[in-house]
Each structure stands twice: as structure tokens, then as C-alpha cells.
């Protein structure tokens, strides 16, 4: 699994609404690890969608504004492709992307959705039976209004991915306004068969409850809330988000569970991350992490 969680990919973890924290243990046999991952699937909330408990986030793929030292080249492309293939080889088949990852809107080189779609196509040529679960996200930009904006954005995402539907579609963050229309759009996407399940991301407890109730009226479960959650960032335990997810049966998906590489041991006070991450995970911050561990 370590190969899959390379510089080109970020891991995320699905909690499965368990109240206890599961420990991830390293095992010597890759074959054994892969078989266990395939068996260890979790259902997202009240939906029928089951995915591997570990997933791969494609935030860095094609990005040149936060990751990759502001450049994207053939070497990074090959590293991303190798990360994808290694992940699938290990049994990790849940991939999370977003329409803004690598997009021109954020001065990216190539859209992450486009890359993921290519990687899936290439893999299917070699292994037609492979099943990959794709999650992507809608950007709640201020000029986007109404449920139709969600459907239009989803269809554009599907075009980039080269898919007719995705397993999970999420609102990437709450909008400044128009949030009720966005939730309506999620429900429409389910009813039109464009997605198997819907979720939100970066939602507070109150927004989570509101989205859950609005979808519930249509008989559609809110499958997930994807939030920043790791051993060194435990805010969801403190702000009521995790408790609300447990209460409502909404799966909490933890993004950056290895803190953008910090918890892998790759970075030290003497060797901090480069680029914008270095402004967050400074030598002083990393010293505290080392001290706590």
C-alpha cells in the first residue's frame, strides 16, 4: 500500500460509522494485505454503495497551485499512473477526485478527473473485469445557482471521466448562498441514475443535519460527509461533526488522514514539505509532531 500512497496521491479513510478508531497495521505479505482490503469494504451511510475502507485522493493529480512544486511534467504523470495501478493491485479501488482539482480555474495543468478517466480506461484494457468506484465533487462557486447547476457540472465531470455515472457525488463545500438548490440537485442526480450515492464535504454539524433532512424527505440517504481528520487534526471530534455523523448514520470520510504526508515520517523539521505545504507544516510545527509521537 505504501507504493500507492506516493507523492502523487493522498490517502483517505472511510470510518464506517464505527465509534472506535481502527488501527492500520503493516503486514509483510502484499498478497495478504490486498485480499484483506478487498474484503474490508464499508457501506456509505444508508445507501447501497459499498467501497474499500481505504481510498486514494487525486487532489494532486495535474495540480500546479498547491502540489508538485508548481509544475506538471511527464515524470509526475507517470508517478500518478503508477500510484493508480499500485493502488488497484493492492485492492484499493475507491478514488476521490473533484472538478476543481488540476483545473484551469485553479491554474492547474490538467484536470484530475481527466487523468483518472484515462487511468481507468488503460487499466480496463488490461483487466476488463476491474471495478473502480469513483467519487467526485461539485464546486459551489458563487455564480452557480439552482439545482440545474449541479446537474450541468456533474455531466461535465462525467464527460471528463469518460463515464456514464459515478458511485458518489459530493458538494465540495457549502455555498455562500443557494445551498438548498444544491441539495435538490444531488437528489435529482440520484433519481436520474447519474450517481449511486450522494454526500457533502466540509459541512458543519448544522449544515450536515439540514442536508440530511432535506434529502430524507425525498427518500434519499445522505451517504457521507468528507472532512479533514487525522491523528493531528481531530476537530471533527470537537465540533460535533463526527457525533452527528454517528447519530444520523452518515459515513464520515476522512481526507488527509496522513496529514498530507506528515504522518508518514517522510518529513522532519530538517526536511519540511516544499511549496505551500511548507507554509503550513513548518519546521516548528513538525517539531511538535515529532515530540508528540
Amino acid at each position: 500500500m505504501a507504493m500507492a500512497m506516493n507523492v502523487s496521491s493522498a490517502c483517505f479513510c472511510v470510518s464506517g460509522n464505527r465509534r472506535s478508531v481502527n488501527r492500520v497495521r503493516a503486514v509483510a505479505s502484499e498478497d495478504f494485505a490486498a485480499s484483506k482490503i478487498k474484503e474490508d469494504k464499508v457501506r456509505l451511510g444508508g445507501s447501497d454503495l459499498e467501497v474499500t475502507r481505504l481510498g486514494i485522493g487525486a487532489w494532486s493529480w495535474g495540480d500546479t497551485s498547491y502540489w508538485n512544486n508548481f509544475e506538471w511534467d511527464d515524470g509526475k504523470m507517470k508517478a500518478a499512473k503508477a500510484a493508480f495501478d499500485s493502488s488497484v493491485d493492492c485492492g484499493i479501488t475507491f478514488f476521490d477526485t473533484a472538478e476543481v482539482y488540476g483545473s484551469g480555474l485553479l491554474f492547474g495543468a490538467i484536470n484530475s478527473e481527466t487523468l483518472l478517466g484515462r487511468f481507468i480506461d488503460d487499466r480496463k484494457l488490461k483487466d476488463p473485469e476491474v471495478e473502480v468506484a469513483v467519487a467526485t465533487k461539485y464546486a459551489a462557486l458563487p455564480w452557480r445557482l439552482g439545482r440545474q447547476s449541479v446537474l450541468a457540472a456533474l455531466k461535465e465531470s462525467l464527460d471528463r471521466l469518460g463515464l456514464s455515472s459515478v458511485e458518489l457525488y459530493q458538494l465540495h463545500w457549502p455555498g455562500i448562498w443557494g445551498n438548498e438548490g444544491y441539495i435538490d440537485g444531488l437528489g435529482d442526480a440520484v433519481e436520474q441514475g447519474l450517481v449511486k450515492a450522494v454526500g457533502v464535504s466540509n459541512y458543519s454539524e448544522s449544515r450536515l443535519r439540514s442536508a440530511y433532512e432535506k434529502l430524507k424527505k425525498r427518500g434519499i440517504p445522505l451517504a457521507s460527509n468528507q472532512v479533514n481528520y487525522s491523528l493531528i487534526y481531530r476537530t471533527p471530534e470537537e465540533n460535533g461533526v463526527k457525533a452527528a455523523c454517528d447519530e444520523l448514520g452518515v459515513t464520515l470520510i476522512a481526507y488527509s488522514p496522513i496529514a498530507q504526508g506528515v504522518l508518514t515520517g517522510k518529513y522532519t523539521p530538517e526536511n519540511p514539505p516544499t511549496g505551500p505545504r511548507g507554509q503550513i507544516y513548518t519546521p516548528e510545527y513538525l517539531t511538535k509532531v515529532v515530540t508528540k509521537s
Side-chain angles (χ1 to χ4, degrees):
M1 289 185 288
M3 290 186 295
M5 296 162 203
N6 205 313
V7 292
S8 300
S9 300
C11 173
F12 64 93
C13 185
V14 182
S15 74
N17 298 321
R18 294 186 180 180
R19 296 186 180 275
S20 60
V21 177
N22 294 317
R23 298 173 183 171
V24 178
R25 296 176 295 173
V27 294
S29 168
E30 289 187 6
D31 290 339
F32 176 75
S35 66
K36 293 303 290 182
I37 290 172
K38 289 175 183 176
E39 293 172 5
D40 192 19
K41 286 193 173 184
V42 60
R43 178 172 293 181
L44 295 188
S47 74
D48 294 328
L49 176 61
E50 291 189 349
V51 297
T52 51
R53 187 174 295 278
L54 287 179
I56 298 296
W59 177 12
S60 67
W61 295 359
D63 177 78
T64 53
S65 61
Y66 186 79
W67 301 89
N68 303 308
N69 293 321
F70 308 108
E71 62 180 8
W72 185 257
D73 54 29
D74 189 57
K76 291 184 174 64
M77 178 81 75
K78 290 178 179 177
K81 178 64 163 57
F84 173 86
D85 284 329
S86 295
S87 301
V88 175
D89 289 342
C90 288
I92 302 172
T93 57
F94 185 26
F95 290 84
D96 178 83
T97 183
E99 62 172 324
V100 295
Y101 294 168
S103 72
L105 182 68
L106 297 182
F107 308 104
I110 183 170
N111 196 287
S112 172
E113 291 176 324
T114 300
L115 291 174
L116 179 57
R118 290 179 185 174
F119 297 163
I120 293 172
D121 285 344
D122 289 346
R123 184 74 183 207
K124 282 185 175 291
L125 288 176
K126 296 185 295 184
D127 183 6
E129 300 303 316
V130 69
E131 294 184 0
V132 174
V134 174
T136 192
K137 309 183 199 73
Y138 168 86
L141 301 169
W143 56 86
R144 285 179 160 175
L145 299 173
R147 64 208 304 165
Q148 285 302 321
S149 70
V150 176
L151 292 173
L154 171 57
K155 290 174 182 177
E156 290 176 358
S157 288
L158 292 174
D159 285 342
R160 285 187 290 270
L161 287 160
L163 300 172
S164 59
S165 66
V166 291
E167 278 68 29
L168 178 65
Y169 196 50
Q170 307 152 96
L171 301 182
H172 205 155
W173 59 80
I176 299 174
W177 45 65
N179 288 288
E180 289 198 358
Y182 298 154
I183 299 298
D184 286 336
L186 290 184
D188 295 343
V190 173
E191 292 176 351
Q192 292 184 26
L194 298 174
V195 301
K196 292 183 179 177
V198 290
V200 293
S201 181
N202 299 302
Y203 265 47
S204 66
E205 177 190 357
S206 60
R207 289 187 181 276
L208 174 71
R209 291 183 182 278
S210 177
Y212 173 88
E213 292 298 335
K214 189 167 182 60
L215 286 169
K216 183 180 178 181
K217 291 177 182 178
R218 297 175 67 173
I220 298 172
L222 179 64
S224 60
N225 185 17
Q226 186 175 160
V227 295
N228 189 358
Y229 189 28
S230 72
L231 290 174
I232 58 174
Y233 188 84
R234 308 185 76 153
T235 301
E237 297 175 5
E238 303 161 359
N239 61 11
V241 167
K242 184 179 183 303
C245 284
D246 290 342
E247 175 193 335
L248 299 174
V250 174
T251 298
L252 187 152
I253 299 177
Y255 70 75
S256 296
I258 53 176
Q260 299 177 19
V262 169
L263 292 175
T264 65
K266 177 179 180 179
Y267 302 112
T268 66
E270 296 75 32
N271 178 43
T274 57
R277 285 183 299 155
Q279 303 301 311
I280 301 171
Y281 302 110
T282 62
E284 293 76 17
Y285 184 94
L286 292 171
T287 298
K288 295 178 182 177
V289 173
V290 171
T291 301
K292 289 180 179 179
S293 61

Short mmCIF file of all heavy atoms in Angstrom, two decimals, residues 1 27 29-41 52-53 86-93:
data_model
loop_
_atom_site.label_atom_id
_atom_site.label_comp_id
_atom_site.label_asym_id
_atom_site.label_seq_id
_atom_site.Cartn_x
_atom_site.Cartn_y
_atom_site.Cartn_z
N MET A 1 0.81 -1.20 0.00
CA MET A 1 0.00 0.00 0.00
C MET A 1 0.85 1.25 0.00
O MET A 1 0.43 2.28 -0.48
CB MET A 1 -0.91 0.02 1.22
CG MET A 1 -2.03 -1.01 1.14
SD MET A 1 -3.17 -0.88 2.51
CE MET A 1 -2.16 -1.50 3.84
N VAL A 27 1.58 -5.15 7.19
CA VAL A 27 1.75 -6.59 7.10
C VAL A 27 2.82 -6.90 6.08
O VAL A 27 3.06 -6.13 5.15
CB VAL A 27 0.43 -7.29 6.72
CG1 VAL A 27 -0.60 -7.16 7.80
CG2 VAL A 27 -0.10 -6.76 5.40
N SER A 29 3.07 -9.50 3.91
CA SER A 29 2.66 -10.05 2.63
C SER A 29 1.72 -9.11 1.90
O SER A 29 0.64 -8.78 2.37
CB SER A 29 1.95 -11.40 2.85
OG SER A 29 1.30 -11.81 1.67
N GLU A 30 2.13 -8.64 0.71
CA GLU A 30 1.28 -7.75 -0.07
C GLU A 30 0.03 -8.48 -0.55
O GLU A 30 -1.05 -7.90 -0.64
CB GLU A 30 2.06 -7.20 -1.26
CG GLU A 30 3.12 -6.18 -0.87
CD GLU A 30 3.74 -5.52 -2.09
OE1 GLU A 30 3.26 -5.77 -3.20
OE2 GLU A 30 4.70 -4.78 -1.92
N ASP A 31 0.16 -9.76 -0.90
CA ASP A 31 -1.00 -10.52 -1.35
C ASP A 31 -2.04 -10.62 -0.24
O ASP A 31 -3.24 -10.46 -0.47
CB ASP A 31 -0.57 -11.92 -1.78
CG ASP A 31 0.23 -11.90 -3.07
OD1 ASP A 31 0.12 -10.90 -3.80
OD2 ASP A 31 0.97 -12.87 -3.32
N PHE A 32 -1.56 -10.88 0.98
CA PHE A 32 -2.48 -10.97 2.11
C PHE A 32 -3.14 -9.63 2.36
O PHE A 32 -4.34 -9.54 2.59
CB PHE A 32 -1.71 -11.42 3.36
CG PHE A 32 -2.56 -11.46 4.60
CD1 PHE A 32 -3.49 -12.48 4.80
CD2 PHE A 32 -2.45 -10.47 5.57
CE1 PHE A 32 -4.28 -12.50 5.94
CE2 PHE A 32 -3.24 -10.49 6.71
CZ PHE A 32 -4.15 -11.51 6.89
N ALA A 33 -2.33 -8.56 2.28
CA ALA A 33 -2.87 -7.21 2.52
C ALA A 33 -3.94 -6.89 1.48
O ALA A 33 -5.00 -6.35 1.81
CB ALA A 33 -1.75 -6.18 2.46
N ALA A 34 -3.67 -7.21 0.22
CA ALA A 34 -4.63 -6.91 -0.84
C ALA A 34 -5.94 -7.66 -0.63
O ALA A 34 -7.02 -7.11 -0.80
CB ALA A 34 -4.04 -7.27 -2.20
N SER A 35 -5.84 -8.93 -0.24
CA SER A 35 -7.06 -9.71 -0.03
C SER A 35 -7.87 -9.17 1.13
O SER A 35 -9.10 -9.14 1.09
CB SER A 35 -6.71 -11.19 0.22
OG SER A 35 -6.01 -11.35 1.44
N LYS A 36 -7.19 -8.71 2.17
CA LYS A 36 -7.91 -8.15 3.32
C LYS A 36 -8.59 -6.84 2.97
O LYS A 36 -9.70 -6.56 3.42
CB LYS A 36 -6.94 -7.94 4.48
CG LYS A 36 -6.37 -9.21 5.08
CD LYS A 36 -7.46 -10.16 5.56
CE LYS A 36 -8.19 -9.64 6.78
NZ LYS A 36 -9.23 -10.59 7.26
N ILE A 37 -7.92 -6.01 2.15
CA ILE A 37 -8.52 -4.74 1.74
C ILE A 37 -9.78 -4.99 0.93
O ILE A 37 -10.81 -4.34 1.12
CB ILE A 37 -7.51 -3.90 0.94
CG1 ILE A 37 -6.39 -3.41 1.87
CG2 ILE A 37 -8.20 -2.70 0.30
CD1 ILE A 37 -5.26 -2.75 1.14
N LYS A 38 -9.71 -5.95 0.00
CA LYS A 38 -10.87 -6.26 -0.82
C LYS A 38 -12.05 -6.72 0.02
O LYS A 38 -13.20 -6.42 -0.26
CB LYS A 38 -10.50 -7.33 -1.85
CG LYS A 38 -9.57 -6.82 -2.95
CD LYS A 38 -9.15 -7.94 -3.87
CE LYS A 38 -8.16 -7.46 -4.93
NZ LYS A 38 -7.67 -8.56 -5.78
N GLU A 39 -11.74 -7.48 1.08
CA GLU A 39 -12.80 -7.97 1.96
C GLU A 39 -13.35 -6.86 2.85
O GLU A 39 -14.52 -6.88 3.23
CB GLU A 39 -12.27 -9.10 2.84
CG GLU A 39 -11.90 -10.37 2.07
CD GLU A 39 -11.19 -11.37 2.95
OE1 GLU A 39 -11.09 -11.10 4.17
OE2 GLU A 39 -10.73 -12.40 2.45
N ASP A 40 -12.50 -5.90 3.19
CA ASP A 40 -12.84 -4.88 4.17
C ASP A 40 -13.51 -3.69 3.49
O ASP A 40 -12.93 -2.62 3.35
CB ASP A 40 -11.59 -4.43 4.92
CG ASP A 40 -11.92 -3.59 6.15
OD1 ASP A 40 -13.08 -3.66 6.61
OD2 ASP A 40 -11.04 -2.87 6.62
N LYS A 41 -14.74 -3.90 3.04
CA LYS A 41 -15.50 -2.83 2.41
C LYS A 41 -16.51 -2.29 3.40
O LYS A 41 -16.93 -2.98 4.33
CB LYS A 41 -16.19 -3.33 1.14
CG LYS A 41 -15.23 -3.52 -0.03
CD LYS A 41 -15.99 -3.70 -1.33
CE LYS A 41 -15.04 -3.71 -2.51
NZ LYS A 41 -15.78 -3.79 -3.80
N THR A 52 -14.08 0.26 -0.75
CA THR A 52 -12.98 -0.15 0.12
C THR A 52 -12.79 0.90 1.22
O THR A 52 -12.97 2.09 1.01
CB THR A 52 -11.68 -0.29 -0.69
OG1 THR A 52 -11.43 0.89 -1.47
CG2 THR A 52 -11.76 -1.49 -1.62
N ARG A 53 -12.42 0.41 2.39
CA ARG A 53 -12.29 1.31 3.54
C ARG A 53 -11.19 2.35 3.32
O ARG A 53 -11.28 3.48 3.78
CB ARG A 53 -12.00 0.49 4.81
CG ARG A 53 -12.01 1.33 6.09
CD ARG A 53 -11.87 0.44 7.31
NE ARG A 53 -13.00 -0.44 7.49
CZ ARG A 53 -14.15 -0.09 8.06
NH1 ARG A 53 -14.31 1.15 8.50
NH2 ARG A 53 -15.13 -0.94 8.18
N SER A 86 -0.77 0.76 -8.67
CA SER A 86 -0.35 0.10 -7.43
C SER A 86 -1.51 0.01 -6.45
O SER A 86 -1.66 -0.99 -5.74
CB SER A 86 0.82 0.87 -6.79
OG SER A 86 1.97 0.82 -7.60
N SER A 87 -2.32 1.05 -6.41
CA SER A 87 -3.48 1.04 -5.52
C SER A 87 -4.45 -0.07 -5.89
O SER A 87 -4.89 -0.83 -5.03
CB SER A 87 -4.19 2.40 -5.57
OG SER A 87 -3.35 3.45 -5.19
N VAL A 88 -4.76 -0.17 -7.17
CA VAL A 88 -5.68 -1.21 -7.63
C VAL A 88 -5.07 -2.59 -7.38
O VAL A 88 -5.77 -3.52 -6.96
CB VAL A 88 -6.02 -1.02 -9.13
CG1 VAL A 88 -6.86 -2.18 -9.64
CG2 VAL A 88 -6.75 0.30 -9.34
N ASP A 89 -3.77 -2.73 -7.63
CA ASP A 89 -3.09 -4.00 -7.37
C ASP A 89 -3.23 -4.42 -5.91
O ASP A 89 -3.32 -5.61 -5.60
CB ASP A 89 -1.61 -3.91 -7.72
CG ASP A 89 -1.36 -3.82 -9.22
OD1 ASP A 89 -2.27 -4.16 -10.00
OD2 ASP A 89 -0.25 -3.38 -9.61
N CYS A 90 -3.24 -3.43 -5.02
CA CYS A 90 -3.36 -3.71 -3.59
C CYS A 90 -4.81 -3.88 -3.14
O CYS A 90 -5.06 -4.10 -1.95
CB CYS A 90 -2.70 -2.60 -2.78
SG CYS A 90 -0.91 -2.57 -2.85
N GLY A 91 -5.73 -3.71 -4.06
CA GLY A 91 -7.14 -3.88 -3.69
C GLY A 91 -7.84 -2.58 -3.31
O GLY A 91 -9.00 -2.61 -2.92
N ILE A 92 -7.15 -1.46 -3.40
CA ILE A 92 -7.77 -0.16 -3.11
C ILE A 92 -8.40 0.34 -4.40
O ILE A 92 -7.69 0.72 -5.34
CB ILE A 92 -6.75 0.86 -2.58
CG1 ILE A 92 -6.08 0.33 -1.31
CG2 ILE A 92 -7.43 2.20 -2.29
CD1 ILE A 92 -4.92 1.20 -0.83
N THR A 93 -9.70 0.35 -4.47
CA THR A 93 -10.39 0.66 -5.72
C THR A 93 -11.35 1.85 -5.60
O THR A 93 -12.19 2.07 -6.47
CB THR A 93 -11.18 -0.56 -6.23
OG1 THR A 93 -12.09 -0.99 -5.20
CG2 THR A 93 -10.24 -1.71 -6.59
#
